[in-house]
Amino acid sequence: RAKSSKSKGGGAKSSKQQQADPTALLASASVANQQQKHLRIPTNLPVCIVDNGGWTVKYGLIPPLSSLAVAGNPAGETIAKGSSTGAIATTHAQKENNASDTKNDSNDTIPTIPLSSMYNATARPPHQLAVLAGDEITTRMKNLGQLSWNLPLERGMICDGETQLRVWARVLEVLGVVPVPMMGSVVGGGGFLASIAAARRGKPAVASMDPVAGKQQPPKTTYSSNNCAFLLLVPPFVPSVISEGVDCMLFREMGMARVARMVGPCMAAVRYLSFCQSISKTKPTDDNAENKRGWINDNTKCCCVVDSGYSFTHIVPTRCGEALTKAIRRLNVGGKVLTNLLKEAVTYRQWNMMDEYHIVNDAKEQLCFVTHQFDKEMKRARATRKGLRWFDREYLLPDFVNTFQGSVRLPEPLQRKKEMEEMQDMKRELERLQEEKEKRELAEEAKDLVANMLQQEEEEQDGKDARDGSAASDSKDKEGRKTSKHRKKSKKEKKKMKRRRKHDNKEDGDNNDGDDDARTDESGSDSDEETEQQRLQRLKAMRDAERKRREKESLDRQALAMSVERFAVPEVLFRPSDIGLDCGGVAEAIVESIESCEPMVRAAMYHNVLLVGGNAKIPGFQERVESELRKLAPTNYAVRVYLPEDPVSYAWEGAQQFVRRPGFQEHFSVDRLSWETMKKKGKTQQEIWEKRMYNSPHELR
């Protein structure tokens, strides 16, 4: 192109002259190659990973691989000097067949990137025009019930692009990425979305406050959006209309250089497979929690991911990190449905909480649990008076003056019952200590009697020897008897003094509790009894003070009584027919999904069930899923359900590991120029993204 433009502008040369001047041809070719290289978007860009959930958005920025390699110093990797993209030059040993193992080992040395999260919503304070996005809501407002909320997702799909772009722009601002929208980009609303991104652009990096340490952090490294890649974790089977709108927002409005879209459960499967590989490398004798549980790697590279989040529950069987699309199942029950059910139940039974979504959601997260015997617990609840059931609790509402978050306490009848049980336990402990003390005293008396008997026998033997001796020895024996009698009298007097001291100390302890603490501590054998009595009195005083505090608190703060709602609301996940949904529960959906797979992988799927999402954190969820799967699965299949420590961020951690693998940006992302070219050619969203989203990396095959 450069050669043709020069020839048209400056006059065309003859063919003989071109052949006669080879240096000019080489120069023009080099210029053209440089222009083409300049137009290419590099493949070693920092990656912004965003797990776009319906309630919260999890995000983090992965620096370029060159900086991570310098930080971790993995063996066998060197940074190519003079390269404009800063790409990593791999040695010949890494290109062989066993390079994947060394790369996985080197990834362990690379430092992990911290995960952050914020509300995936915008909110408007009352009587104000300002719009708060993401973490601005929690930092500026305490009472979230006063805000007018706007969520960009509906049933797990992005339906409000304007709100979603505001949240993503806030994510980029927190990460230190400056949005640079494309020139002339106009998306619905006359370019209003571009104006939002442009308003975020150009702000200087400001030092942020660390919420944990309370110290000011230095400003983060600033990147430009046209030099960054964007990895978005999405649910499976997103409609093409929504997918195309998201691409327009990312490429045109936010100006991202590269965009990759991966299915969230697939990234969770990647994290699970790497975890299984790490378990197989460790020794059984290592101090590892999973080794203690007997968790082993079956080397099948299969995983059935159960993603139960805010808007839905997806069951995604995967093999080598690749989703088996024909076996994916969706259950339209999530955390939002559970919160709305609890809100309706509380409103019907006690107070109107229909406008207090965040308070009810916090009560659900603190109090709800899954039971294994739902019908039996309901029968027991009918037969037991309210307030005396073992699962009855009270949720204290925040007053937004002194407290900004609710707390949990026992109802008054259960509290009294608990106090009575504590008093009985204390009495039993005191009786046990008293019995032990009496046993010790009896043992001491028995020892004294034995010693006295032995002494008498010795004296009698001495008397017999003295009778056979001389008169001088008789006189010595008389003196010895006198001394022994004197010793007996002194011992009896000591015992009498001991008893008197006990009696006096008891009377002094009843009259004065504070002045004689030091004396009783110094009194040796009497310190145990006195300490227990004082402990009993101290606990009584503490109980009285706690009762007074509770009475005062109950007068000042309102409390929601929570009873059978604690386990009846999460039961909807396993019995959706209770709310009128004509479908099976989570266990039935898992069985249906696995039975849709090939017969050769079904046993591996039952043996590797992974729970992720916010609903997986409900107490008892894992045990209930495992017990119901055991009932429904074939008897010759082993059922195993794994629950990670943090199921909410598990998919994001898998995406972080996936991004660090070589070749990610070449094979799984689309750059801006290629996307524009494919759209001009008329390619559909399925043709652009299907191979990139659902294919597994070569390292996992």
Side-chain angles (χ1 to χ4, degrees), residues 537-579:
Q537 293 175 359
R538 177 174 54 82
L539 290 176
K540 286 182 180 179
M542 289 174 61
R543 189 178 67 253
D544 295 338
E546 179 68 17
R547 187 188 299 110
K548 292 179 182 178
R549 186 191 66 80
R550 284 170 54 84
E551 291 175 356
K552 183 179 179 181
E553 191 178 57
S554 61
L555 294 175
D556 296 339
R557 296 178 61 183
Q558 296 175 329
L560 284 177
M562 303 286 289
S563 184
V564 295
E565 300 89 357
R566 294 184 61 193
F567 60 88
V569 169
E571 188 68 19
V572 177
L573 289 169
F574 301 92
R575 296 162 63 170
S577 59
D578 292 349
I579 58 174

Side-chain angles (χ1 to χ4, degrees), residues 183-369:
M183 298 300 294
S185 62
V186 177
V187 183
F192 178 66
L193 301 181
S195 65
I196 296 173
R200 301 286 186 186
R201 182 167 53 94
K203 291 186 178 181
V206 182
S208 59
M209 294 296 295
D210 187 358
V212 178
K215 298 179 180 179
Q216 196 171 18
Q217 296 177 338
K220 299 179 180 179
T221 305
T222 303
Y223 297 97
S224 176
S225 63
N226 52 19
N227 289 324
C228 281
F230 194 93
L231 174 58
L232 181 64
L233 303 186
V234 296
F237 303 134
V238 178
S240 59
V241 177
I242 297 176
S243 175
E244 187 175 359
V246 171
D247 289 348
C248 291
M249 283 195 296
L250 293 175
F251 281 118
R252 295 177 180 174
E253 297 295 331
M254 299 177 66
M256 306 304 298
R258 286 184 174 274
V259 173
R261 302 172 59 169
M262 303 302 296
V263 179
C266 292
M267 295 295 99
V270 171
R271 176 72 178 87
Y272 176 76
L273 293 179
S274 64
F275 159 74
C276 291
Q277 291 177 1
S278 64
I279 287 295
S280 61
K281 291 180 182 179
T282 57
K283 298 179 181 179
T285 57
D286 293 346
D287 189 8
N288 192 345
E290 303 305 333
N291 284 335
K292 292 178 180 178
R293 289 170 52 186
W295 201 269
I296 59 174
N297 182 18
D298 54 6
N299 295 319
T300 58
K301 297 185 179 179
C302 294
C303 178
C304 183
V305 184
V306 182
D307 184 7
S308 183
Y310 178 74
S311 304
F312 50 75
T313 298
H314 272 123
I315 291 88
V316 183
T318 62
R319 186 177 183 182
C320 299
E322 179 181 352
L324 306 179
T325 55
K326 67 176 183 179
I328 297 177
R329 297 294 182 268
R330 173 179 169 128
L331 181 64
N332 291 320
V333 177
K336 183 179 180 181
V337 174
L338 302 184
T339 304
N340 288 333
L341 287 175
L342 182 60
K343 186 170 58 173
E344 292 176 0
V346 171
T347 301
Y348 177 77
R349 292 177 184 239
Q350 196 167 359
W351 291 326
N352 185 7
M353 301 292 293
M354 296 301 293
D355 296 332
E356 302 294 341
Y357 184 87
H358 290 81
I359 294 178
V360 177
N361 186 72
D362 182 62
K364 180 197 73 174
E365 293 178 354
Q366 293 192 41
L367 292 172
C368 284
F369 66 95

Side-chain angles (χ1 to χ4, degrees), residues 478-619:
K478 290 180 182 179
E479 292 177 0
R481 290 186 190 123
K482 289 181 181 179
T483 53
S484 63
K485 289 180 182 180
H486 183 69
R487 287 175 185 172
K488 288 180 182 180
K489 289 181 181 179
S490 61
K491 285 183 180 181
K492 291 180 181 179
E493 290 177 357
K494 284 181 181 179
K495 287 182 181 179
K496 289 180 180 179
M497 292 295 293
K498 228 181 197 182
R499 291 170 185 169
R500 288 176 184 174
R501 281 179 200 155
K502 285 182 184 179
H503 185 68
D504 295 340
N505 288 333
K506 286 181 181 179
E507 290 180 353
D508 294 339
D510 294 335
N511 296 328
N512 292 326
D513 293 334
D515 296 334
D516 295 337
D517 290 341
R519 298 177 187 171
T520 54
D521 291 339
E522 295 174 357
S523 61
S525 61
D526 299 334
S527 60
D528 294 336
E529 183 181 359
E530 294 293 329
T531 304
E532 293 300 330
Q533 288 180 357
Q534 291 175 2
R535 176 171 170 269
L536 182 60
Q537 293 175 359
R538 177 174 54 82
L539 290 176
K540 286 182 180 179
M542 289 174 61
R543 189 178 67 253
D544 295 338
E546 179 68 17
R547 187 188 299 110
K548 292 179 182 178
R549 186 191 66 80
R550 284 170 54 84
E551 291 175 356
K552 183 179 179 181
E553 191 178 57
S554 61
L555 294 175
D556 296 339
R557 296 178 61 183
Q558 296 175 329
L560 284 177
M562 303 286 289
S563 184
V564 295
E565 300 89 357
R566 294 184 61 193
F567 60 88
V569 169
E571 188 68 19
V572 177
L573 289 169
F574 301 92
R575 296 162 63 170
S577 59
D578 292 349
I579 58 174
L581 294 180
D582 189 12
C583 60
V586 174
E588 289 82 358
I590 295 173
V591 173
E592 183 181 351
S593 175
I594 294 177
E595 294 299 324
S596 301
C597 301
E598 298 177 359
M600 61 182 298
V601 300
R602 292 176 185 173
M605 292 296 178
Y606 280 113
H607 197 245
N608 296 275
V609 179
L610 173 65
L611 302 179
V612 295
N615 293 331
K617 299 173 67 176
I618 300 176

